[in-house]
Amino acid sequence: MAEQLKNILLDGAWRQNTGLVVLLGLCPLLAVTNTLINGLALGLATMLTLMVSNLSVSALRGLLRPEIRIPAFVLIIASVVTVIELLMHAYFYDLFRALGIFIPLIVTNCAIIGRAEAFASRHGPLPSLMDGFATGLGFCITLVLLGALRELTGQGTLLAGAEMLLGDWGNYLTLTIIPEHPGFLLAMLPPGAFFGLALLIAARNALQADKAGKPAQAVSNLSAENLVGNSHET
Amino acid sequence: MNNSTHPVLRSGLLLGLIALLGTALLAGVNELTHERIAEQEKRRILQQLNAILPVASYNNNLLEDVIEITDEASFHHPAPVTVYRARKDDQPVAVLMAVTAPDGYNGAIRLLAGFDHSGSVLGVRVVAHRETPGLGDPIEVEKSDWILSFMNKSLLDPQAEGWAVKRDGGQFDQFTGATISPRAVVKAVHNALVYFDANRQSLFDTSATNPERDNG
């Protein structure tokens, strides 16, 4: 059991990383990552959604007939996301405003319904919860890395806006890494997100190739089928 | 589960049950949060108002003492303009008008402009905009001091032709690479000020409409 959970964690966070390998959920990934904090906040919200939806789907999996499976997933995911949206609106108001439409749009992140279908509907609650956590963690790490990269190159700071997530003391966390940074517009605009993501994917592939001692496998070889078919059983 | 039940019926009922549970959950969370959400919205509006108008200068309830005006000819925009009236001991002090500049580079720019009772500008802030980051966004007070240049201006200082960006022969700076955003802001503030000057009395005298507004 412990071995299986460890495998699930590694798969979700690294081997099948949603943002860098499977390339799902790219719209929020590219849109909100202009600062580290925005990335972190959306990453955490997505992770929470994945965990709750995976857990609910797994608990209901014995009852769900194949023909109503997808509508049921959609209902569950939409409810979870709306609850998170309401809570953020009430308790993290500034962050809610900064992320705007991308909180409700978590519903459309295909990574979530993908995990419900490919994993949670076939496994028990504990592995499903772990899978939600791992996939969310992988996505969150990607968002944070891309956010940090773009914030640093774009405006020379890190953790700007931390007070939105942490309250007033977050003001002291903002690090000015490059003082008097003139502002690098390309990094802040959407094209910068694509360049940044490409760099991260390349870096991951290089790391992977180093480990394996052979050329990196092209990302495009990993299709959606691969995602659905990857077996956590072994 | 009873196998004799028609499978379609069973699936339908199950789906309905999930929908019901989801709705119940949402209703519960909404009940728990809606007061706090309304409070947060109010706090944000008040924060924006107080950035222009110091708290000490008025003692009425700014968020309640509100009227809405629809006057497309004056504001060049069909949306109603919200006017917050500030009074001290029932004497008019200032108004804050939520106006929209329709002609930003990338759509409308929403502004909050404060004018004191004598007709000079207390301050202007950008509430929402979609101008190009790095080019048009110095209209935000967080990005540059430009928006503060409206302070203490009035219809006499400068005269009407001075209410324009320098490229158009006016008094207000434009930004490197961006004339359209500041031009839109200057025009909208000027329109609002002209309206305020012409309707000063009625703006303060009309009784509050206290509209049920659900967002800022």
Side-chain angles (χ1 to χ4, degrees):
Chain A
M1 193 65 179
E3 189 61 26
Q4 189 202 0
L5 289 183
K6 198 183 136 204
N7 253 325
I8 295 173
L9 182 64
L10 276 175
D11 267 342
W14 177 252
R15 292 197 287 251
Q16 296 290 328
N17 185 301
T18 314
L20 298 179
V21 180
V22 187
L23 299 179
L24 285 178
L26 288 191
C27 170
L29 182 79
L30 296 170
V32 303
T33 51
N34 43 17
T35 66
L36 192 160
I37 289 293
N38 283 359
L40 178 64
L42 193 83
L44 290 176
T46 310
M47 189 200 287
L48 193 61
T49 310
L50 269 161
M51 289 168 74
V52 180
S53 84
N54 263 13
L55 192 63
S56 327
V57 167
S58 169
L60 290 171
R61 75 188 189 287
L63 298 172
L64 290 177
R65 301 177 56 86
E67 58 269 29
I68 59 159
R69 195 175 80 240
I70 300 292
F73 294 165
V74 172
L75 273 172
I76 293 170
I77 295 168
S79 308
V80 172
V81 169
T82 313
V83 166
I84 290 175
E85 186 195 353
L86 283 172
L87 290 175
M88 281 188 81
H89 198 167
Y91 296 99
F92 296 97
Y93 185 72
D94 294 325
L95 209 54
F96 172 82
R97 287 189 52 84
L99 295 179
I101 185 69
F102 290 99
I103 301 169
L105 279 184
I106 293 174
V107 178
T108 63
N109 187 333
C110 22
I112 297 171
I113 202 160
R115 294 324 291 169
E117 166 74 9
F119 194 93
S121 65
R122 301 165 193 192
H123 293 82
L126 186 63
S128 296
L129 187 65
M130 189 60 176
D131 180 71
F133 172 73
T135 310
L137 183 69
F139 190 62
C140 189
I141 290 173
T142 312
L143 281 166
V144 167
L145 284 178
L146 189 54
L149 186 70
R150 288 178 68 194
E151 188 180 338
L152 192 61
T153 46
Q155 58 190 50
T157 62
L158 279 180
L159 293 165
E163 73 279 2
M164 296 192 292
L165 196 60
L166 302 166
D168 284 338
W169 66 275
N171 279 320
Y172 304 106
L173 284 180
T174 302
L175 306 170
T176 306
I177 310 287
I178 308 169
E180 304 290 319
H181 191 282
F184 181 48
L185 198 56
L186 180 65
M188 301 308 281
L189 292 175
F194 283 99
F195 286 125
L197 183 67
L199 287 175
L200 289 182
I201 293 173
R204 187 196 175 281
N205 284 351
L207 261 175
Q208 204 66 343
D210 249 17
K211 240 176 22 189
K214 58 178 181 178
Q217 187 188 13
V219 170
S220 57
N221 287 354
L222 289 153
S223 64
E225 261 161 294
N226 218 330
L227 162 81
V228 174
N230 85 64
S231 87
H232 298 279
E233 301 294 321
T234 48
Chain B
M1 286 281 159
N2 187 350
N3 279 335
S4 65
T5 323
H6 197 282
V8 174
L9 189 66
R10 217 193 74 175
S11 297
L13 284 176
L14 188 62
L15 205 54
L17 188 70
I18 293 175
L20 201 67
L21 282 178
T23 313
L25 179 72
L26 287 187
V29 174
N30 182 45
E31 194 54 40
L32 285 175
T33 52
H34 80 267
E35 253 172 55
R36 203 182 148 91
I37 289 175
E39 238 170 67
Q40 295 272 33
E41 297 284 355
K42 260 192 189 163
R43 192 179 56 95
R44 176 181 151 78
I45 298 175
L46 205 55
Q47 236 172 28
Q48 289 173 341
L49 297 176
N50 287 339
I52 296 175
L53 183 68
V55 187
S57 61
Y58 66 95
N59 59 10
N60 63 331
N61 187 343
L62 210 49
L63 290 180
E64 303 276 310
D65 202 348
V66 167
I67 53 172
E68 294 205 338
I69 315 158
T70 308
D71 188 340
E72 191 170 350
S74 305
F75 296 109
H76 302 278
H77 196 263
V81 172
T82 310
V83 181
Y84 303 88
R85 283 112 29 114
R87 307 168 202 269
K88 186 150 203 166
D89 305 325
D90 290 328
Q91 291 306 304
V93 174
V95 294
L96 293 134
M97 299 169 83
V99 291
T100 305
D103 42 5
Y105 186 71
N106 198 7
I109 303 171
R110 284 170 51 206
L111 302 162
L112 194 63
F115 309 122
D116 75 12
H117 187 239
S118 69
S120 59
V121 181
L122 285 168
V124 181
R125 292 291 182 279
V126 173
V127 179
H129 76 90
R130 299 194 302 150
E131 303 305 288
T132 318
L135 292 176
D137 70 355
I139 54 173
E140 286 176 35
V141 73
E142 289 84 6
K143 299 276 158 65
S144 86
D145 287 344
W146 179 80
I147 200 93
L148 302 179
S149 64
F150 284 102
M151 270 168 79
N152 301 323
K153 294 285 192 294
S154 69
L155 283 185
L156 298 173
D157 169 33
Q159 301 281 330
E161 58 272 19
W163 278 90
V165 292
K166 284 185 177 151
R167 176 174 296 174
D168 302 337
Q171 281 215 349
F172 295 90
D173 287 327
Q174 59 262 353
F175 313 133
T176 318
T179 314
I180 295 174
S181 317
R183 182 189 284 152
V185 174
V186 171
K187 252 165 67 179
V189 174
H190 188 235
N191 289 340
L193 186 55
V194 168
Y195 185 91
F196 170 70
D197 195 62
N199 302 280
R200 202 175 307 185
Q201 207 56 41
S202 69
L203 273 179
F204 278 106
D205 291 346
T206 318
S207 60
T209 45
N210 193 14
E212 283 287 327
R213 289 170 326 113
D214 55 5
N215 57 46

